[in-house]
Amino acid sequence: MKFLLSLILSLFFSMTISAQSKTLTASNGQQITIDGTDGFRGNDELWMYSVTYYSRKPTNESGVDVYVIDGRIWEIRDRAGVVFLQGRQDPGPISVGINGYVLSAHGAARRWVMANLMKGQAVSLDGKIPVTTVSPYLYPGSGMIQAENGKAIYFRGKNVPRSQDFIVLLTPDYYKNTPPNDAGVDVLIVKNQVTQINDRASAVYLTKTKDPGPIRIDDEINSLIVSGNGEGRKWILENLSIGNAVSINTGDGKEVMPLVRTSCFDGAHYRKVVTSFDTWTGIAGFVKIGNPKVDEARLDEKDRLPLDNFSIYLGGNAGGKFEVDAGLTWEFTVDKNGKKSERRNAFRPFWRTQKVGDWNSAPAKEEFNFYPGETVQLAVLVAGPGRLKLIVTDGKTKMFQTEFEAEGFVAGAPRQFKRVNAIDQRFNEGKPTQATKAEIRGTEWIQTVLLRGEGAATQQLPFGTSRGTDMKCGGGLISVTAVDPTKGGERIDIIGTPKN
């Protein structure tokens, strides 16, 4: 089936350095001159570097480097202080991601940096007042790990020294030659499965037992090591166990495979297919709406309305922290005289984020009502930094589209998209699913595609079983029949579980 919508994206996430930047302003109001960009840092000078230049030609150990992402200081590495004042080994240059820029200072400029800049503070260029309200979802550009329970976290770096409170990703060669110390936990991942966990910090500092030492790696081709300290160690111990499946985004641009399995969440009967965290920029699909049927014995005591409802929707997640749902839900309608229907009787566009009370729906117009048996195209697309776009159309006379704030969808952040069919249950989210005779039969996803990449390089890839984690949740009878797997096509029936 031919796409009805243009899915060409014009996204420009990459932050570039302005050649006109001449001053840096700290949060305390102090300013310093920037002596140059992407070149040789001289005595007593402060230089600015693009992440591309810095990753190829990092500065030497005679100064201090400051990594800035989105106006916030992400890391300060005083190499001169470590080597020449403390007499310790050079920690090396900062492991930068795909966003931001690096400031590097020597001599008098280094002393200014040490006196006026701190990790987490805001800075600005060209005399502007620093803005301290930055996104909590900033992406450092080093990939991420997703646990079997669905939780995910960014890596602070790849093949770099492990920093306090962070998690790093290490290849076998790097780990064997430069293993982290005993102040953290190391995890061996073989073929996307946790096979060993060495909590060296617990052994040495908590139980006062023998240090188990670095992990021995037998299969170097299929292995990776995840190592965490402090808060990073805590995340690992709370979310990873031996035998668990994981999905790892290594930050190398290769397509990331999804989890083999993941946990369900209580409160509804639903079938969900969810992607890995990758450079996805949207999801779109054609769906023929099925026929819903309520359980007349399950009515709310106050308003006498059904306690079960129905939804067919798409959605996404950025960075493992910010969830969005957007698509169609079974809703009330309003006739031409302004009278509201007594029961929900049509599917209507909706979208919601994790912000409290942030539930939105299309205006109460007939052109935005969609009925069982109709074929509809749904699309959720990245519309720019921190924004998504929802499109719902029948390709003829009905069309609804809106852009909305999606805070976690920041520049470069790994994103996950999903496709969901559900019997939702009122007042029951997060609670055990209730028995019901409600059902929705005959929904058919004719085609579903994922968008990967940005601008002219965007790919349209079929969202089949190889790109998704299949979830059947809630205990009801969920029947999935493949129609055309190459197009992500399948028929779905969801039937609740009545009491015996």
Side-chain angles (χ1 to χ4, degrees):
M1 181 176 288
K2 185 179 179 181
F3 258 32
L4 305 174
L5 304 174
S6 173
L7 300 178
I8 298 175
L9 305 177
S10 299
L11 304 177
F12 301 94
F13 285 137
S14 299
M15 181 175 181
T16 57
I17 292 178
S18 170
Q20 304 303 314
S21 296
K22 296 297 182 183
T23 60
L24 175 78
T25 304
S27 289
N28 62 9
Q30 297 296 309
Q31 292 187 337
I32 187 172
T33 300
I34 297 173
D35 295 291
T37 299
D38 285 351
F40 178 76
R41 181 197 65 201
N43 292 337
D44 298 320
E45 291 182 342
L46 173 72
W47 278 64
M48 176 186 283
Y49 297 93
S50 66
V51 291
T52 302
Y53 185 95
Y54 181 84
S55 62
R56 294 199 315 264
K57 299 181 179 180
T59 52
N60 60 30
E61 73 274 13
S62 299
V64 59
D65 295 349
V66 181
Y67 187 23
V68 180
I69 304 178
D70 213 18
R72 185 181 72 172
I73 297 173
W74 189 268
E75 183 172 347
I76 297 178
R77 186 166 295 188
D78 184 18
R79 299 173 66 186
V82 172
V83 175
F84 300 109
L85 298 181
Q86 301 176 25
R88 296 190 291 120
Q89 183 179 356
D90 177 16
I94 294 173
S95 176
V96 296
I98 59 175
N99 304 309
Y101 59 87
V102 177
L103 301 165
S104 187
H106 176 274
R110 171 187 169 273
R111 291 192 292 274
W112 185 94
V113 167
M114 301 306 293
N116 294 283
L117 302 183
M118 291 182 63
K119 180 180 175 180
Q121 289 184 342
V123 293
S124 63
L125 304 174
D126 303 323
K128 297 178 181 179
I129 299 174
V131 178
T132 57
T133 54
V134 295
S135 170
Y137 306 104
L138 291 175
Y139 176 52
S142 302
M144 70 187 299
I145 181 171
Q146 184 186 13
E148 186 173 309
N149 62 8
K151 299 293 181 63
I153 192 171
Y154 293 145
F155 295 126
R156 182 57 192 87
K158 180 179 179 180
N159 288 344
V160 296
R162 186 187 63 207
S163 302
Q164 183 176 347
D165 292 325
F166 286 116
I167 293 177
V168 293
L169 177 66
L170 309 174
T171 60
D173 284 345
Y174 184 93
Y175 182 80
K176 288 171 66 177
N177 294 322
T178 319
N181 60 28
D182 58 13
V185 59
D186 297 347
V187 181
L188 178 62
I189 310 292
V190 181
K191 296 181 179 179
N192 289 328
Q193 186 175 36
V194 177
T195 61
Q196 187 174 342
I197 298 177
N198 270 23
D199 188 6
R200 300 177 66 186
S202 177
V204 174
Y205 300 102
L206 299 180
T207 62
K208 306 296 184 180
T209 55
K210 183 180 178 181
D211 177 13
I215 291 173
R216 175 182 171 179
I217 304 170
D218 296 321
D219 183 354
E220 296 189 14
I221 296 176
N222 298 302
S223 297
L224 289 169
I225 297 87
V226 175
S227 185
N229 168 273
E231 290 300 315
R233 170 182 172 272
K234 181 180 178 182
W235 187 93
I236 287 174
L237 295 178
E238 289 178 348
N239 295 286
L240 301 181
S241 298
I242 293 176
N244 279 178
V246 295
S247 175
I248 295 183
N249 182 326
T250 60
D252 59 7
K254 296 180 181 178
E255 185 174 339
V256 182
M257 293 298 100
L259 284 169
V260 175
R261 55 187 176 272
T262 190
S263 306
C264 289
F265 301 95
D266 291 333
H269 297 281
Y270 65 94
R271 193 308 179 97
K272 178 194 294 187
V273 185
V274 61
T275 70
S276 62
F277 281 93
D278 201 347
T279 56
W280 308 118
T281 44
I283 182 172
F286 289 98
V287 60
K288 181 179 179 181
I289 299 173
N291 294 287
K293 178 181 178 183
V294 302
D295 183 346
E296 295 294 346
R298 269 181 44 82
L299 304 179
D300 183 73
E301 293 181 357
K302 295 180 179 180
D303 58 21
R304 304 306 297 167
L305 293 175
L307 287 170
D308 300 295
N309 200 28
F310 311 93
S311 55
I312 304 168
Y313 62 95
L314 306 174
N317 184 298
K321 297 180 179 179
F322 195 92
E323 190 84 13
V324 171
D325 300 330
L328 294 170
T329 187
W330 190 240
E331 260 292 5
F332 299 96
T333 60
V334 176
D335 65 20
K336 60 182 180 181
N337 297 316
K339 184 180 179 181
K340 182 179 177 180
S341 60
E342 294 183 0
R343 283 282 186 95
R344 301 172 188 266
N345 61 353
F347 282 92
R348 304 187 64 254
F350 83 98
W351 63 102
R352 68 174 178 177
T353 69
Q354 287 184 188
K355 292 183 179 179
V356 177
D358 190 21
W359 171 279
N360 309 274
S361 57
K365 298 180 179 180
E366 177 59 32
E367 63 193 272
F368 302 140
N369 297 337
F370 298 87
Y371 298 95
E374 288 191 74
T375 297
V376 181
Q377 185 179 17
L378 302 177
V380 175
L381 312 172
V382 174
R387 298 191 67 77
L388 289 176
K389 184 172 188 177
L390 168 65
I391 302 172
V392 186
T393 179
D394 67 352
K396 301 173 184 177
T397 60
K398 300 179 182 180
M399 161 74 82
F400 176 79
Q401 57 182 326
T402 185
E403 283 192 18
F404 57 94
E405 182 181 352
E407 186 177 4
F409 288 75
V410 297
R415 310 174 193 98
Q416 179 186 69
F417 285 92
K418 62 185 176 183
R419 195 189 72 191
V420 185
N421 296 65
I423 299 178
D424 306 303
Q425 297 192 320
R426 296 174 65 194
F427 319 122
N428 200 51
E429 189 166 344
K431 301 176 184 178
T433 310
Q434 301 298 305
T436 180
K437 294 180 180 179
E439 60 182 52
I440 178 168
R441 297 175 185 258
T443 303
E444 183 177 337
W445 289 96
I446 300 168
Q447 180 180 14
T448 316
V449 299
L450 296 167
L451 307 183
R452 188 172 188 270
E454 302 166 8
T458 301
Q459 298 174 283
Q460 293 187 22
L461 303 173
F463 189 17
T465 54
S466 64
R467 290 193 170 93
T469 305
D470 193 344
M471 302 171 64
K472 298 182 179 71
C473 306
L477 174 60
I478 300 176
S479 172
V480 179
T481 305
V483 176
D484 187 344
T486 63
K487 294 183 178 180
E490 56 188 20
R491 176 190 169 105
I492 300 170
D493 300 324
I494 302 180
I495 303 167
T497 52
K499 292 181 180 179
N500 294 330

